[in-house]
Amino acid sequence: MKKEEFRILIADDDEIARDVLSRILQDEGFSVLTARDGLEAIGLLRKEDIRLVITDLKMPGADGMEVLRSALRSNPDAMVVILTAYGTLDIALEAIKEGAYDYLAKPFKVEEIVFLATKAFERAQTINELRELKKLLRDTYRDITVINNIAKSKEPSIVTDWIERIERLRQKGILTDEEAEILKERLVKGNEA
């Protein structure tokens, strides 16, 4: 995933804060959408693939906690950062309990927002990588019962597909170089028999 594919939604009724946050994150290479209140944010969450939500706690229409709940319903992997000038520990704990990724009290430093966005982006990359690995493992496990038939197959394209799959597992670090070579050798020898 590239930074520009990592979509961030900023929801804040303060136009200046919203524009400043948007500009900072766009300058960092992120794709940013903005909402002027909680209801607009919830509407965007229903239509767009949002990975990170930075939302003010107190907004007209729907507050930041409602935006948090909606974001997690739309995408359980979404990360939500609650911003508030009303920085109490109780609100922070409630937001974290409800699934917020983090919490920042206003005024915040630019570096804090950039750091949070970067960490959220890295987390999203890790989640995507994990999904790919799980899929690859499921596919491989499902097909493992046919490996003997493939090795004996007279169809080179089937063997080639399996060799490519083994190579992807090696590249992802699931198989060692030695394990990958052994499996490839068995496939090729079985095909030659």
Side-chain angles (χ1 to χ4, degrees), residues 17-114:
R18 190 174 62 240
D19 290 346
V20 167
L21 281 171
S22 178
R23 191 172 60 250
I24 290 166
L25 294 171
Q26 285 174 341
D27 287 349
E28 291 294 319
F30 293 107
S31 173
V32 180
L33 298 171
T34 61
R36 62 184 173 270
D37 61 38
L39 291 177
E40 185 178 1
I42 290 170
L44 286 169
L45 286 165
R46 290 182 182 142
K47 294 187 289 188
E48 303 288 341
D49 180 25
I50 304 294
R51 297 305 195 90
L52 174 63
V53 179
I54 300 173
T55 181
D56 192 18
L57 183 63
K58 301 289 184 187
M59 292 182 292
D63 68 12
M65 295 302 284
E66 291 172 277
V67 172
L68 166 67
R69 291 181 199 107
S70 181
L72 294 177
R73 272 193 307 272
S74 297
N75 177 1
D77 293 331
M79 292 160 275
V80 180
V81 175
I82 302 286
L83 300 175
T84 185
Y86 309 93
T88 68
L89 184 57
D90 292 342
I91 295 170
L93 291 175
E94 181 183 347
I96 299 298
K97 283 180 188 176
E98 295 233 12
Y101 179 67
D102 211 335
Y103 173 91
L104 282 177
K106 291 179 181 178
F108 50 84
K109 295 178 181 169
V110 170
E111 296 83 14
E112 290 175 305
I113 291 296
V114 171

XYZ file of all heavy atoms in Angstrom, residues 17-114:
753
model
N -8.648 24.516 11.901
C -7.997 23.282 12.364
C -8.079 22.199 11.289
O -7.098 21.500 11.017
C -8.635 22.804 13.658
N -9.246 22.078 10.666
C -9.464 21.066 9.627
C -8.519 21.306 8.442
O -7.878 20.386 7.953
C -10.936 21.132 9.199
C -11.394 20.033 8.314
C -12.897 20.091 8.062
N -13.313 21.307 7.374
C -14.179 22.202 7.850
N -14.748 22.026 9.026
N -14.504 23.264 7.146
N -8.426 22.559 8.002
C -7.572 22.881 6.862
C -6.091 22.693 7.179
O -5.325 22.207 6.341
C -7.833 24.313 6.386
C -9.197 24.468 5.728
O -9.826 23.435 5.396
O -9.642 25.621 5.563
N -5.686 23.079 8.385
C -4.282 22.918 8.787
C -3.910 21.435 8.823
O -2.882 21.024 8.276
C -4.013 23.601 10.149
C -2.670 23.177 10.715
C -4.082 25.117 10.007
N -4.753 20.629 9.463
C -4.491 19.179 9.526
C -4.431 18.578 8.123
O -3.543 17.777 7.811
C -5.572 18.475 10.343
C -5.460 18.576 11.851
C -6.721 18.016 12.509
C -4.226 17.848 12.344
N -5.368 18.966 7.290
C -5.415 18.440 5.933
C -4.140 18.786 5.175
O -3.530 17.922 4.523
C -6.637 19.004 5.202
O -6.668 18.547 3.878
N -3.718 20.027 5.249
C -2.513 20.463 4.537
C -1.270 19.732 5.043
O -0.438 19.274 4.258
C -2.345 21.980 4.660
C -1.277 22.514 3.732
C -1.213 24.038 3.675
N -0.925 24.626 4.965
C -1.795 25.344 5.708
N -3.013 25.552 5.267
N -1.447 25.836 6.870
N -1.151 19.595 6.364
C 0.012 18.908 6.953
C 0.097 17.472 6.432
O 1.160 17.018 5.994
C -0.070 18.910 8.496
C 0.161 20.319 9.038
C 0.915 17.922 9.102
C -0.223 20.477 10.509
N -1.030 16.760 6.468
C -1.023 15.352 6.072
C -0.877 15.182 4.558
O -0.235 14.238 4.098
C -2.266 14.650 6.607
C -2.290 14.554 8.141
C -3.633 14.040 8.632
C -1.152 13.687 8.645
N -1.444 16.093 3.791
C -1.249 16.037 2.337
C 0.214 16.299 1.987
O 0.756 15.662 1.090
C -2.160 17.045 1.636
C -3.602 16.593 1.609
C -4.539 17.645 1.036
O -4.211 18.830 0.970
N -5.727 17.208 0.646
N 0.848 17.212 2.715
C 2.274 17.474 2.492
C 3.127 16.248 2.808
O 4.223 16.087 2.259
C 2.754 18.662 3.342
C 2.239 20.001 2.826
O 1.684 20.055 1.701
O 2.367 21.003 3.575
N 2.629 15.371 3.668
C 3.325 14.128 4.001
C 3.035 13.017 2.982
O 3.543 11.909 3.111
C 2.923 13.653 5.406
C 3.438 14.529 6.524
C 4.951 14.515 6.647
O 5.551 13.421 6.512
O 5.533 15.590 6.863
N 2.164 13.310 1.998
C 1.878 12.341 0.941
C 0.606 11.546 1.120
O 0.326 10.641 0.337
N -0.189 11.858 2.135
C -1.426 11.120 2.380
C -2.586 11.698 1.572
O -2.605 12.881 1.245
C -1.790 11.161 3.873
C -0.827 10.426 4.760
C 0.052 11.122 5.576
C -0.796 9.046 4.777
C 0.943 10.455 6.399
C 0.094 8.363 5.596
C 0.962 9.069 6.405
N -3.559 10.858 1.289
C -4.809 11.275 0.665
C -5.766 11.660 1.791
O -6.023 10.854 2.690
C -5.384 10.114 -0.153
O -6.663 10.424 -0.626
N -6.295 12.876 1.750
C -7.087 13.387 2.866
C -8.464 13.847 2.391
O -8.584 14.560 1.394
C -6.367 14.562 3.563
C -7.199 15.103 4.722
C -4.988 14.136 4.051
N -9.480 13.436 3.125
C -10.838 13.940 2.957
C -11.184 14.723 4.221
O -10.657 14.421 5.294
C -11.838 12.791 2.796
C -11.657 11.887 1.591
C -12.573 10.674 1.698
C -11.957 12.651 0.325
N -12.088 15.679 4.103
C -12.475 16.443 5.285
C -13.995 16.471 5.433
O -14.738 16.352 4.448
C -11.961 17.898 5.220
O -12.517 18.545 4.079
C -10.440 17.941 5.158
N -14.412 16.619 6.677
C -15.834 16.752 7.005
C -15.980 17.872 8.029
O -15.180 17.969 8.955
C -16.379 15.440 7.561
N -17.003 18.693 7.841
C -17.176 19.845 8.725
C -17.977 19.535 9.984
O -18.104 20.385 10.862
C -17.779 21.016 7.965
C -19.130 20.766 7.408
C -19.629 21.957 6.575
N -20.864 21.614 5.920
C -20.962 21.061 4.728
N -19.885 20.800 4.039
N -22.129 20.768 4.218
N -18.524 18.313 10.063
C -19.222 17.896 11.281
C -19.305 16.371 11.314
O -18.917 15.693 10.366
C -20.617 18.536 11.389
C -21.551 18.168 10.235
O -21.521 17.012 9.770
O -22.318 19.053 9.801
N -19.834 15.849 12.410
C -19.898 14.407 12.591
C -20.803 13.703 11.595
O -20.492 12.599 11.134
N -21.915 14.324 11.239
C -22.837 13.692 10.295
C -22.210 13.571 8.904
O -22.354 12.538 8.241
C -24.155 14.477 10.219
C -25.022 14.401 11.482
C -26.259 15.278 11.326
C -25.422 12.962 11.786
N -21.517 14.607 8.469
C -20.831 14.534 7.178
C -19.745 13.452 7.220
O -19.563 12.695 6.261
C -20.221 15.892 6.818
C -19.612 15.914 5.435
C -19.035 17.271 5.043
O -19.083 18.235 5.844
O -18.508 17.355 3.912
N -19.037 13.353 8.342
C -18.000 12.325 8.498
C -18.610 10.931 8.399
O -18.075 10.061 7.693
C -17.280 12.504 9.833
N -19.723 10.708 9.067
C -20.379 9.393 9.036
C -20.824 9.060 7.613
O -20.675 7.925 7.149
C -21.553 9.351 10.045
C -20.977 9.357 11.471
C -22.441 8.145 9.808
C -22.004 9.571 12.571
N -21.325 10.053 6.881
C -21.708 9.838 5.487
C -20.518 9.436 4.631
O -20.613 8.523 3.804
N -19.385 10.099 4.835
C -18.176 9.754 4.075
C -17.670 8.361 4.439
O -17.183 7.621 3.579
C -17.080 10.791 4.311
C -17.284 12.129 3.605
C -16.301 13.175 4.118
C -17.146 11.964 2.097
N -17.787 7.997 5.701
C -17.344 6.667 6.128
C -18.146 5.563 5.445
O -17.626 4.474 5.206
C -17.458 6.533 7.649
C -16.395 7.287 8.436
C -16.783 7.397 9.903
C -15.039 6.613 8.287
N -19.386 5.838 5.131
C -20.235 4.848 4.453
C -19.875 4.701 2.979
O -20.114 3.657 2.384
C -21.701 5.231 4.589
C -22.207 5.077 5.995
C -23.675 5.416 6.091
N -24.117 5.297 7.473
C -24.973 6.105 8.050
N -25.510 7.099 7.367
N -25.314 5.927 9.314
N -19.315 5.768 2.393
C -19.048 5.764 0.949
C -17.591 5.524 0.585
O -17.307 5.036 -0.497
C -19.453 7.109 0.338
C -20.942 7.380 0.385
C -21.301 8.642 -0.379
C -20.830 9.869 0.349
N -21.287 11.129 -0.224
N -16.680 5.870 1.455
C -15.253 5.853 1.125
C -14.509 4.794 1.940
O -14.936 4.433 3.026
C -14.624 7.223 1.422
C -15.276 8.380 0.705
C -14.982 8.421 -0.783
O -13.993 7.786 -1.217
O -15.739 9.079 -1.507
N -13.386 4.342 1.403
C -12.515 3.403 2.120
C -11.531 4.228 2.947
O -10.477 4.624 2.467
C -11.775 2.504 1.138
C -10.849 1.514 1.832
O -11.091 1.176 3.009
O -9.868 1.077 1.190
N -11.913 4.500 4.182
C -11.127 5.341 5.080
C -10.330 4.433 6.010
O -10.872 3.529 6.629
C -12.041 6.266 5.926
C -12.943 7.120 5.015
C -11.218 7.103 6.883
C -12.234 8.118 4.170
N -9.029 4.696 6.137
C -8.160 3.894 6.999
C -7.874 4.569 8.326
O -7.656 3.915 9.321
C -6.839 3.609 6.286
C -6.989 2.791 5.026
C -7.731 1.493 5.333
N -7.619 0.520 4.298
C -6.659 -0.396 4.228
N -5.711 -0.456 5.116
N -6.647 -1.269 3.252
N -7.849 5.911 8.327
C -7.581 6.662 9.556
C -8.567 7.809 9.644
O -8.768 8.532 8.667
C -6.143 7.209 9.565
C -5.765 8.128 10.731
C -5.844 7.407 12.071
C -4.371 8.715 10.515
N -9.186 7.945 10.807
C -10.094 9.057 11.069
C -9.490 9.885 12.192
O -9.132 9.350 13.241
C -11.501 8.558 11.487
C -12.424 9.738 11.778
C -12.092 7.634 10.431
N -9.374 11.171 11.942
C -8.959 12.104 12.987
C -10.166 12.988 13.214
O -10.566 13.751 12.325
C -7.726 12.929 12.548
C -6.560 11.989 12.247
C -7.358 13.931 13.635
C -5.341 12.674 11.640
N -10.789 12.839 14.375
C -12.049 13.524 14.616
C -12.033 14.317 15.916
O -11.500 13.862 16.928
C -13.233 12.533 14.623
O -14.453 13.239 14.846
C -13.084 11.464 15.684
N -12.615 15.503 15.830
C -12.819 16.308 17.020
C -13.866 15.604 17.871
O -14.758 14.929 17.338
C -13.292 17.707 16.612
C -13.243 18.705 17.757
O -12.547 18.434 18.760
O -13.894 19.752 17.650
N -13.767 15.731 19.173
C -14.742 15.091 20.055
C -16.066 15.836 20.037
O -17.126 15.223 19.894
C -14.195 15.010 21.485
C -15.100 14.296 22.467
C -15.296 12.845 22.082
C -14.542 14.399 23.872
N -16.037 17.137 20.165
C -17.258 17.945 20.247
C -17.544 18.588 18.905
O -16.809 19.465 18.456
C -17.112 19.038 21.310
C -16.822 18.516 22.703
C -18.035 17.838 23.283
C -17.753 17.416 24.720
N -18.806 16.618 25.288
N -18.610 18.104 18.244
C -19.032 18.657 16.957
C -20.547 18.649 16.889
O -21.195 17.831 17.552
C -18.504 17.805 15.795
C -17.017 17.821 15.591
S -16.530 16.835 14.155
C -16.911 15.173 14.705
N -21.114 19.511 16.061
C -22.567 19.478 15.882
C -22.989 18.240 15.090
O -22.212 17.673 14.332
C -22.860 20.757 15.103
C -21.579 21.169 14.482
C -20.483 20.602 15.333
N -24.210 17.835 15.286
C -24.773 16.714 14.538
C -24.451 15.370 15.159
O -25.326 14.659 15.621
N -23.205 15.022 15.172
C -22.737 13.776 15.779
C -21.364 14.061 16.356
O -20.537 14.693 15.715
C -22.674 12.659 14.739
N -21.131 13.605 17.565
C -19.835 13.880 18.191
C -18.781 12.864 17.751
O -19.058 11.927 17.001
C -19.961 13.949 19.719
C -20.303 12.613 20.368
O -20.235 11.556 19.704
O -20.630 12.618 21.572
N -17.563 13.061 18.230
C -16.448 12.198 17.851
C -16.636 10.747 18.254
O -16.172 9.844 17.547
N -17.327 10.511 19.356
C -17.572 9.123 19.781
C -18.508 8.421 18.799
O -18.330 7.242 18.496
C -18.135 9.091 21.204
C -17.145 9.598 22.257
S -15.595 8.685 22.302
C -16.144 7.212 23.132
N -19.491 9.139 18.265
C -20.384 8.549 17.262
C -19.623 8.291 15.964
O -19.850 7.274 15.297
C -21.582 9.471 17.018
C -22.531 9.532 18.213
C -23.601 10.591 18.034
O -23.314 11.769 18.315
O -24.709 10.208 17.601
N -18.726 9.198 15.614
C -17.887 9.000 14.421
C -17.007 7.765 14.631
O -16.853 6.940 13.730
C -17.043 10.261 14.120
C -16.037 9.983 13.001
C -17.941 11.435 13.749
N -16.437 7.624 15.827
C -15.616 6.455 16.164
C -16.407 5.170 15.955
O -15.942 4.245 15.271
C -15.138 6.554 17.616
C -14.560 5.287 18.251
C -13.252 4.900 17.587
C -14.360 5.489 19.744
N -17.586 5.095 16.523
C -18.419 3.880 16.404
C -18.759 3.586 14.939
O -18.703 2.438 14.495
C -19.682 4.040 17.231
C -19.415 4.033 18.719
C -20.721 4.181 19.529
N -20.405 4.610 20.868
C -20.614 5.837 21.351
N -21.194 6.771 20.611
N -20.279 6.133 22.583
N -19.113 4.620 14.204
C -19.461 4.444 12.794
C -18.251 3.974 11.985
O -18.375 3.104 11.117
C -20.002 5.758 12.230
O -20.362 5.589 10.887
N -17.091 4.546 12.265
C -15.873 4.151 11.548
C -15.578 2.675 11.766
O -15.255 1.947 10.822
C -14.695 5.004 12.001
N -15.696 2.218 13.009
C -15.385 0.821 13.316
C -16.445 -0.131 12.763
O -16.123 -1.273 12.424
C -15.202 0.635 14.820
C -13.980 1.379 15.393
C -13.904 1.198 16.902
C -12.694 0.943 14.717
N -17.688 0.338 12.654
C -18.717 -0.491 12.005
C -18.435 -0.606 10.517
O -18.592 -1.671 9.927
C -20.114 0.106 12.221
C -20.803 -0.330 13.483
C -22.279 0.027 13.493
N -22.548 1.432 13.221
C -22.585 2.399 14.135
N -22.379 2.112 15.400
N -22.847 3.638 13.785
N -18.023 0.488 9.898
C -17.741 0.494 8.458
C -16.502 -0.322 8.120
O -16.459 -1.003 7.103
C -17.526 1.926 7.957
O -18.678 2.686 8.124
N -15.486 -0.220 8.969
C -14.224 -0.912 8.731
C -13.575 -1.217 10.081
O -12.967 -0.336 10.680
C -13.297 -0.040 7.882
C -11.942 -0.670 7.648
O -11.668 -1.788 8.095
N -11.069 0.044 6.977
N -13.687 -2.449 10.561
C -13.120 -2.790 11.867
C -11.618 -2.535 11.986
O -11.095 -2.399 13.081
C -13.425 -4.287 12.019
C -14.553 -4.549 11.091
C -14.399 -3.574 9.962
N -10.923 -2.441 10.853
C -9.487 -2.158 10.871
C -9.183 -0.660 10.855
O -8.016 -0.270 10.934
C -8.793 -2.816 9.678
C -8.812 -4.332 9.767
O -8.826 -4.866 10.890
O -8.819 -4.975 8.700
N -10.209 0.168 10.721
C -9.986 1.620 10.706
C -9.414 2.061 12.055
O -9.725 1.491 13.099
C -11.291 2.358 10.424
N -8.583 3.064 11.987
C -8.008 3.621 13.214
C -8.584 5.014 13.398
O -8.715 5.767 12.431
C -6.484 3.650 13.100
C -5.900 2.232 13.088
S -4.253 2.162 12.390
C -4.622 2.045 10.643
N -8.943 5.323 14.629
C -9.575 6.606 14.917
C -8.789 7.306 16.018
O -8.503 6.718 17.058
C -11.047 6.416 15.368
C -11.687 7.772 15.671
C -11.836 5.662 14.303
N -8.450 8.561 15.739
C -7.793 9.410 16.728
C -8.798 10.482 17.126
O -9.360 11.168 16.271
C -6.516 10.065 16.150
C -5.912 11.046 17.156
C -5.500 8.996 15.760
N -9.048 10.589 18.424
C -9.981 11.581 18.960
C -9.189 12.812 19.376
O -8.229 12.708 20.139
C -10.749 11.016 20.181
C -11.516 9.744 19.822
C -11.653 12.070 20.790
C -12.754 9.940 19.000
N -9.611 13.973 18.863
C -9.013 15.250 19.251
C -10.002 16.003 20.118
O -11.187 16.049 19.802
C -8.727 16.109 18.013
C -7.791 15.559 16.968
C -7.746 16.501 15.778
C -6.402 15.368 17.534
N -9.509 16.599 21.185
C -10.410 17.394 21.996
C -9.681 18.471 22.778
O -8.535 18.300 23.158
C -11.216 16.515 22.976
O -12.148 17.325 23.665
C -10.313 15.815 23.962
N -10.388 19.554 22.973
C -9.897 20.599 23.876
C -10.365 20.277 25.287
O -9.939 20.881 26.249
C -10.419 21.960 23.433
N -11.239 19.311 25.369
C -11.812 18.909 26.648
C -11.065 17.689 27.167
O -11.616 16.636 27.355
C -13.301 18.587 26.480
C -14.035 19.679 25.772
C -14.205 19.633 24.389
C -14.538 20.758 26.464
C -14.860 20.650 23.724
C -15.202 21.775 25.803
C -15.363 21.716 24.433
O -16.012 22.721 23.785
N -9.754 17.846 27.361
C -8.879 16.721 27.656
C -8.990 16.199 29.067
O -8.251 16.627 29.933
N -9.894 15.278 29.265
C -9.963 14.615 30.560
C -9.604 13.152 30.375
O -9.815 12.574 29.314
C -11.379 14.709 31.184
O -12.275 13.929 30.390
C -11.861 16.148 31.272
N -9.089 12.575 31.423
C -8.710 11.171 31.383
C -9.923 10.276 31.138
O -9.833 9.289 30.413
C -8.010 10.776 32.688
C -7.472 9.359 32.766
C -6.489 9.104 31.623
C -6.800 9.119 34.098
N -11.070 10.643 31.688
C -12.281 9.831 31.501
C -12.668 9.717 30.031
O -13.008 8.642 29.548
C -13.458 10.431 32.289
C -13.268 10.322 33.787
O -12.430 9.501 34.219
O -13.952 11.052 34.532
N -12.619 10.825 29.311
C -12.968 10.807 27.891
C -11.952 9.972 27.117
O -12.315 9.179 26.249
C -13.049 12.237 27.329
C -14.201 12.997 27.990
C -13.228 12.214 25.818
C -14.215 14.480 27.686
N -10.691 10.130 27.435
C -9.646 9.361 26.767
C -9.838 7.869 26.988
O -9.761 7.074 26.046
C -8.272 9.788 27.273
N -10.107 7.486 28.219
C -10.315 6.066 28.527
C -11.553 5.518 27.829
O -11.540 4.402 27.318
C -10.405 5.862 30.037
C -9.098 6.084 30.809
C -9.338 5.968 32.313
C -8.034 5.113 30.361
N -12.610 6.301 27.806
C -13.828 5.860 27.127
C -13.565 5.652 25.633
O -13.985 4.657 25.044
C -14.955 6.882 27.315
C -16.247 6.457 26.639
C -17.344 7.505 26.756
O -17.226 8.457 27.549
O -18.346 7.356 26.019
N -12.845 6.589 25.018
C -12.535 6.477 23.589
C -11.681 5.244 23.313
O -11.931 4.497 22.363
C -11.822 7.737 23.105
N -10.682 4.996 24.137
C -9.817 3.819 23.961
C -10.623 2.541 24.167
O -10.497 1.584 23.398
C -8.597 3.878 24.915
C -7.733 5.107 24.639
C -7.789 2.589 24.855
C -7.110 5.177 23.266
N -11.471 2.510 25.187
C -12.317 1.330 25.428
C -13.225 1.043 24.246
O -13.517 -0.108 23.949
C -13.176 1.535 26.684
C -12.432 1.347 27.970
C -13.368 1.560 29.144
C -12.621 1.583 30.460
N -13.496 1.890 31.595
N -13.669 2.087 23.586
C -14.579 1.920 22.444
C -13.826 1.578 21.161
O -14.430 1.381 20.118
C -15.422 3.174 22.252
C -16.354 3.404 23.418
C -17.787 3.575 23.006
O -18.143 3.303 21.840
O -18.568 3.969 23.873
N -12.483 1.575 21.226
C -11.713 1.143 20.064
C -10.881 2.216 19.395
O -10.340 1.983 18.320
N -10.776 3.398 19.996
C -9.950 4.452 19.396
C -8.496 4.006 19.338
O -8.004 3.325 20.235
C -10.075 5.751 20.192
N -7.829 4.396 18.284
C -6.404 4.095 18.108
C -5.580 4.958 19.051
O -4.609 4.502 19.630
C -6.030 4.355 16.644
C -4.587 4.123 16.313
C -4.037 2.855 16.363
C -3.773 5.180 15.922
C -2.707 2.638 16.039
C -2.448 4.975 15.588
C -1.919 3.703 15.651
O -0.609 3.495 15.331
N -5.995 6.208 19.187
C -5.278 7.112 20.082
C -6.150 8.307 20.403
O -7.258 8.449 19.883
C -3.958 7.565 19.456
C -2.873 7.831 20.488
O -3.198 8.131 21.655
O -1.692 7.727 20.124
N -5.615 9.203 21.193
C -6.324 10.351 21.717
C -5.326 11.486 21.871
O -4.235 11.279 22.366
C -6.886 9.935 23.087
C -7.522 11.006 23.889
C -8.875 11.254 23.768
C -6.793 11.750 24.808
C -9.480 12.224 24.540
C -7.392 12.724 25.575
C -8.729 12.961 25.430
O -9.327 13.927 26.190
N -5.685 12.672 21.387
C -4.821 13.834 21.538
C -5.619 15.014 22.064
O -6.723 15.281 21.592
C -4.197 14.253 20.204
C -3.034 13.445 19.692
C -2.606 13.974 18.329
C -1.868 13.467 20.655
N -5.036 15.734 23.011
C -5.666 16.946 23.532
C -5.166 18.137 22.723
O -4.005 18.212 22.345
C -5.332 17.117 25.002
N -6.088 19.042 22.424
C -5.714 20.293 21.763
C -5.173 21.245 22.819
O -5.678 21.257 23.938
C -6.934 20.930 21.091
C -7.456 20.161 19.896
C -8.671 20.888 19.336
C -9.278 20.173 18.160
N -10.473 20.865 17.673
N -4.216 22.051 22.530
C -3.489 22.114 21.262
C -2.471 20.972 21.183
O -1.902 20.566 22.180
C -2.795 23.467 21.316
C -2.582 23.723 22.775
C -3.738 23.062 23.478
N -2.261 20.483 20.003
C -1.311 19.399 19.777
C -0.197 19.916 18.890
O -0.320 20.953 18.243
C -1.991 18.194 19.129
C -2.795 18.568 17.928
C -2.190 18.705 16.689
C -4.160 18.812 18.037
C -2.931 19.074 15.587
C -4.895 19.181 16.927
C -4.284 19.319 15.698
N 0.879 19.168 18.835
C 2.012 19.536 17.987
C 1.857 18.865 16.624
O 1.352 17.753 16.526
C 3.325 19.099 18.640
C 3.622 19.820 19.925
C 4.904 19.317 20.538
C 5.153 20.051 21.857
N 6.230 19.441 22.610
N 2.327 19.547 15.615
C 2.286 19.015 14.252
C 2.968 17.654 14.208
O 2.475 16.717 13.582
C 2.955 20.000 13.261
C 3.138 19.367 11.896
C 2.150 21.279 13.167
N 4.091 17.535 14.903
C 4.845 16.278 14.901
C 4.014 15.124 15.447
O 4.169 13.988 15.014
C 6.135 16.410 15.722
C 7.128 17.402 15.185
C 6.839 18.859 15.588
O 6.018 19.101 16.506
O 7.421 19.751 14.969
N 3.125 15.413 16.405
C 2.283 14.356 16.968
C 1.332 13.796 15.915
O 1.151 12.577 15.818
C 1.469 14.891 18.161
C 2.291 15.204 19.386
C 1.454 15.843 20.478
O 0.793 16.879 20.216
O 1.450 15.287 21.593
N 0.740 14.683 15.131
C -0.199 14.242 14.095
C 0.538 13.453 13.014
O 0.077 12.397 12.583
C -0.940 15.457 13.488
C -1.903 16.056 14.522
C -1.684 15.079 12.220
C -3.027 15.143 14.957
N 1.671 13.956 12.583
C 2.455 13.257 11.555
C 2.891 11.894 12.082
O 2.803 10.886 11.374
C 3.666 14.112 11.108
C 4.599 13.308 10.198
C 3.189 15.380 10.409
